[in-house]
């Protein structure tokens, strides 16, 4: 691979083309010619049995191709300890199949039945407030509790035995939106201590990693260790290193829980049935990378949630970032993904719940398609008549039969998808100019946790910072993967590591080899300032990366909320107030942007240098609009001789299976540059907000 890159930019497309020709293992579950299948959740246990046949028939009649059962039905599947009732689910699966619908079956573990808590109150998790969660909601069990694990093992085994060889079951969803709940229960404490002992071996090593000499916070034994309770302390904060370990433990506990279920299923189920789970789109505590034994990883998506977003229509069009991020992030793990829940209309749980803009739901579906998804499913078919989600839209309204506005948008896309399938070209190849832009974003939850634990300025926002870098890459029209430190950097001509604070020598060396071999590396502010345990190395500030970036970080600065600092590049100004690394270039390093004001006016904010056959660029500032980040990235592409697009914020263009797919989350029409001779197969140009344009070259 390095050799290919050494051959120069003409060869930059080769690794991407290579990656494309190797179909991911999970692709076997989803014939490519189906493009994207569309389905909907149904809850037989919430409706009179006499209506199931009508409802499932209606789902099929509207064109949906699969349904989804059971993630909250434990109380119906095991109505009493050890007494199982599958008769109702048998009937529902049967009715679905008769209507031509495949079934995604779920493990019901978010909802332990009341009898379990009555017998074993210790199964519940304990919150940061010290209170034990009780029956009456969901996701309330301690994943560290052995009694709960025993019951989990049993229900999953029973389900696997009953449905694991049933070809009407398409695949399995584990649990629901695994969120790695922060758990202060005695079970969690005990498991945390064991986790620490495995990690450190001796308590002295743990004390060193946690900075135990600071405020006499050291421990004499693992048994003394308490769970660092972040919610109880203010300014005199807990050891950030201890907190970081607790976050790692919490994510590992969630991952172990999912792997535990997955391993049981795999013992019993057909090889054709897949196993996944549905992470929340921007998951903070759970870490999808830790569940690498699942066949692929899916996600849930609610873009309209009472946020302003871009322009006057933004609050109805939805976040321009969430879906754009999720399609690439979740697809990157196994090369295949799907959206398990895509907002069907107005929701009930945001502080304010506006109606989506007419067309927005259709646009999200096509965006999901463009992002390479194998399926899109929506929560839920019928609007509930009782329970806490009363105001939540469904595909049909409260009468159970009349399609909602969102329902009709789904129906329209289903019909359009059927037409598009006729145009599917199995040998379509990504155009070389697009493949040449291929980029990877280096992402680690450990780094994110460390940034969040020790933000230094209340204005710091890790997600926002990474979204800005993502948007800069997508504005260039680049295919994007999210990769981890163990992945092959050289498969990508461009690699961006935003605010990658935790590093060790091995990572810095890997970056250096990548650049020397011809890669273009972009690092942003805060990168390389700490070691992997979150401590500062005994060296000048950011000393671990200074030799690589060809600059020292003299100091860093944060402004007040209403403060605005100015940075200038090529005569254009950009404002910032969150973070500024003030740089001092070493000989051979070029300055791209400088600070215009503050006591360090004239000093560099962005630097770049050539190293071996590649380049490394350091963007030391987080700008308010992300415009500088975007322009610097364009400069990196231009200097690399790669032709990049310049899409405005909120416009995304994806390439998939021979189709270019453009969507528009901005509040203005945009004339999409389409190569002459191309054929538009859906929509029209200019591309209006809440709309889609699909064409083939
Ligand atoms: C999701 C959740 C669903 C449902 C939905 C409502 O986060 O997984 O079960 O509650 O939100 O929008």
């Amino acid at each position: 691979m390095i050799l290919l890159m050494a051959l120069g930019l003409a060869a930059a497309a080769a690794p991407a083309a290579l990656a494309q020709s190797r179909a991911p293992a999970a692709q076997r579950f989803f014939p490519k010619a189906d493009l994207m299948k569309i389905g909907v959740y149904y809850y037989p246990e919430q409706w009179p049995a006499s209506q199931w046949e009508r409802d499932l028939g209606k789902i099929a009649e509207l064109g949906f191709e699969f349904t989804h059962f059971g993630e909250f039905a434990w109380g119906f599947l095991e109505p009493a300890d050890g007494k199982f009732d599958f008769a109702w689910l048998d009937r529902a699966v049967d009715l679905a199949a008769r209507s031509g619908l495949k079934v995604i079956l779920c493990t019901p573990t978010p909802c332990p039945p009341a009898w379990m808590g009555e017998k074993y109150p210790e199964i519940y998790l304990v919150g940061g407030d010290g209170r034990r969660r009780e029956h009456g909601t969901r996701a309330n069990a301690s994943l560290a509790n052995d009694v709960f694990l025993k019951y989990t093992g049993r229900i999953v085994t029973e389900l696997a035995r009953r449905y694991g060889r049933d070809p009407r079951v398409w695949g399995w969803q584990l649990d629901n939106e695994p969120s790695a709940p922060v758990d202060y229960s005695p079970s969690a404490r005990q498991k945390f201590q064991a986790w620490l002992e495995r990690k450190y071996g001796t308590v002295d090593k743990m004390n060193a990693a946690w900075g135990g000499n600071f405020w006499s916070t050291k421990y004499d034994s693992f048994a003394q260790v308490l769970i660092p309770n972040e919610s109880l302390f203010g300014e005199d904060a807990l050891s950030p290193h201890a907190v970081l370990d607790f976050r790692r433990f919490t994510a590992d506990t969630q991952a172990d829980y999912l792997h535990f279920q997955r391993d049981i299923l795999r013992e019993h189920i057909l090889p054709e049935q897949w196993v996944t789970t549905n992470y929340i789109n921007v998951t903070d505590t759970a870490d999808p990378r830790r569940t690498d034994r699942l066949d692929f990883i899916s996600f849930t998506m609610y873009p309209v949630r009472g946020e302003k977003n871009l322009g006057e229509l933004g609050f109805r069009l939805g976040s321009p970032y969430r879906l754009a991020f999720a399609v690439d992030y979740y697809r990157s793990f196994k090369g295949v993904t799907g959206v398990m829940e895509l907002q069907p209309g107005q929701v009930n749980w945001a502080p304010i719940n506006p109606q989506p803009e007419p067309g927005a739901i259709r646009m999200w579906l096509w965006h999901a398609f463009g992002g390479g998804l194998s399926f899109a499913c929506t929560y839920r078919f019928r609007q509930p008549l009782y329970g806490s989600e009363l105001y939540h839209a469904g595909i049909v309204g409260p009468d159970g039969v009349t399609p909602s506005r969102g329902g009709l948008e789904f129906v329209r896309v289903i019909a359009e998808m059927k037409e598009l399938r006729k145009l599917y070209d199995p040998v379509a190849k990504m155009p070389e100019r697009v493949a040449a832009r291929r980029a990877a974003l280096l992402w680690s939850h450990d780094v994110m946790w460390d940034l969040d634990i020790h933000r230094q300025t209340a204005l710091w926002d890790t997600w926002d910072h990474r979204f800005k870098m993502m948007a800069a890459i997508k504005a260039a029209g680049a295919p994007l993967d999210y990769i981890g430190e163990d992945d092959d950097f050289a498969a990508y001509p461009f690699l961006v590591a935003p605010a990658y604070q935790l590093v060790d020598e091995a990572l810095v060396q890997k970056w250096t080899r990548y650049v020397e071999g011809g890669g273009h590396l972009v690092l942003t502010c805060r990168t390389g300032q700490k070691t992997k345990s979150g401590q500062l190395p005994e060296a000048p500030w950011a000393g671990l990366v200074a030799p690589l970036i060809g600059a020292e970080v003299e100091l860093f600065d944060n402004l007040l909320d209403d403060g605005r600092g100015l940075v200038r590049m090529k005569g254009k100004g950009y404002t910032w107030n969150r973070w500024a690394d003030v740089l001092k270039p070493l000989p051979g390093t070029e300055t791209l942007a400088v600070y215009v004001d503050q006591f360090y006016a004239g000093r560099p904010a962005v630097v770049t240098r050539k190293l071996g056959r590649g380049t490394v660029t350091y963007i030391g500032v987080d700008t308010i609009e992300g415009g500088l980040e975007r322009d610097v990235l364009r400069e990196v592409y231009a200097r690399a001789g790669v032709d990049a697009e310049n899409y405005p914020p909120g416009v995304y263009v994806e390439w998939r299976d021979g189709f270019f797919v453009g969507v528009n989350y901005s509040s203005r029409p945009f004339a999409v540059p389409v190569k002459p001779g191309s054929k538009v197969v859906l929509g029209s140009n200019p591309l209006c907000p809440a709309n889609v344009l699909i064409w083939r070259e």
Side-chain angles (χ1 to χ4, degrees), residues 43 71-72 138 176-177 278 300 302 341 347-349 379 389 392:
Y43 293 94
E71 77 277 31
F72 303 128
R138 58 178 173 178
N176 182 65
E177 289 192 328
N278 60 342
T300 63
Y302 294 85
E341 297 176 23
V347 297
N348 65 289
W349 42 258
Y379 174 92
E389 292 181 344
H392 199 291

Side-chain angles (χ1 to χ4, degrees), residues 460 465 468-469 472-473 495-500 521-527 529 549 551 553 567 569 574 579-583 592-593 595 604-608 616-623 626-636:
W460 178 258
H465 182 73
K468 281 175 196 156
M469 293 314 297
I473 297 167
L495 174 64
V496 178
Y500 214 87
L521 175 67
V522 178
L523 304 173
T524 72
C525 60
R526 305 189 79 153
T527 294
Q529 301 184 343
I549 65 174
V553 178
V567 184
M569 182 169 78
Y574 309 84
W579 197 278
D581 285 335
V582 178
L583 307 172
L592 292 182
Y595 294 103
V606 182
V607 295
T608 191
V616 51
T617 303
Y618 189 89
I619 307 176
V621 62
D622 171 281
T623 65
L628 176 77
E629 290 86 330
R630 197 182 175 91
D631 290 346
V632 170
L633 210 75
R634 277 186 66 68
E635 183 70 19
V636 171

Side-chain angles (χ1 to χ4, degrees), residues 181-338:
V182 180
D183 181 7
Y184 296 84
S185 68
S187 321
R189 180 179 172 200
Q190 211 183 21
K191 295 239 164 120
F192 183 45
Q193 291 167 348
W195 184 95
L196 290 168
E197 193 158 1
R198 279 199 304 279
K199 175 165 180 171
Y200 292 108
T202 68
V203 78
D204 288 344
K205 283 198 180 134
M206 185 194 78
N207 284 329
W210 285 13
N213 291 0
F214 194 74
W215 293 346
S216 280
T217 51
K218 67 190 176 66
Y219 296 89
D220 307 316
S221 69
F222 289 107
Q224 279 177 349
V225 176
L226 292 164
I227 290 182
N229 192 334
E230 288 179 72
S231 54
L232 290 184
F233 298 87
E235 191 190 338
D236 279 347
L238 293 154
S239 158
H241 323 296
V243 175
L244 180 59
D245 267 344
F246 182 58
R247 299 239 185 140
R248 288 167 167 148
F249 160 78
T250 301
D252 282 349
T253 303
Q254 176 69 77
D256 288 349
Y257 184 67
L258 294 171
H259 277 156
F260 170 57
Q261 295 198 21
R262 178 263 170 212
D263 291 348
I264 296 172
L265 285 176
R266 267 286 158 238
E267 250 179 60
H268 300 279
I269 68 175
L270 296 166
E272 298 81 61
Q273 291 181 343
W274 41 261
V275 181
T276 191
T277 190
N278 60 342
Y279 284 102
I280 300 171
N281 63 96
V282 287
T283 157
D284 283 323
T285 38
D287 176 9
R289 189 169 296 283
R290 283 166 153 85
T291 42
D292 59 356
R293 297 215 295 274
L294 307 193
D295 291 310
F296 61 89
I297 293 177
S298 68
F299 61 94
T300 63
M301 177 57 53
Y302 294 85
V304 167
R305 43 173 64 211
E307 295 162 344
K308 285 203 169 91
N309 302 318
L310 279 178
E312 65 275 15
L313 290 179
F315 76 108
R316 295 200 192 282
L317 294 169
S319 159
Y321 293 146
R322 287 176 187 274
L323 186 53
F325 164 76
V327 293
D328 290 336
Y329 180 61
Y330 288 100
R331 195 198 55 242
S332 295
F333 294 110
K334 300 280 178 171
V336 162
T337 186

Side-chain angles (χ1 to χ4, degrees), residues 355-422:
Q355 287 279 352
E357 179 72 6
I361 295 171
R362 173 171 172 261
M363 175 179 77
W364 302 332
L365 277 161
W366 282 117
H367 190 180
F369 168 76
L373 270 58
S374 298
F375 65 87
C377 189
T378 184
Y379 174 92
R380 51 186 277 156
F381 181 60
R382 293 183 65 171
Q383 172 152 4
L385 303 182
Y386 52 82
S388 67
E389 292 181 344
L390 269 186
Y391 287 98
H392 199 291
I395 291 300
V396 294
D399 67 0
V401 292
T402 309
S404 60
R405 263 186 346 106
L408 292 173
E409 293 195 22
F410 267 87
V411 170
R412 178 169 171 197
V413 175
I414 290 168
E416 291 169 337
M417 188 69 65
K418 286 187 179 144
E419 288 305 306
L420 209 70
R421 283 178 187 157
K422 296 179 188 157

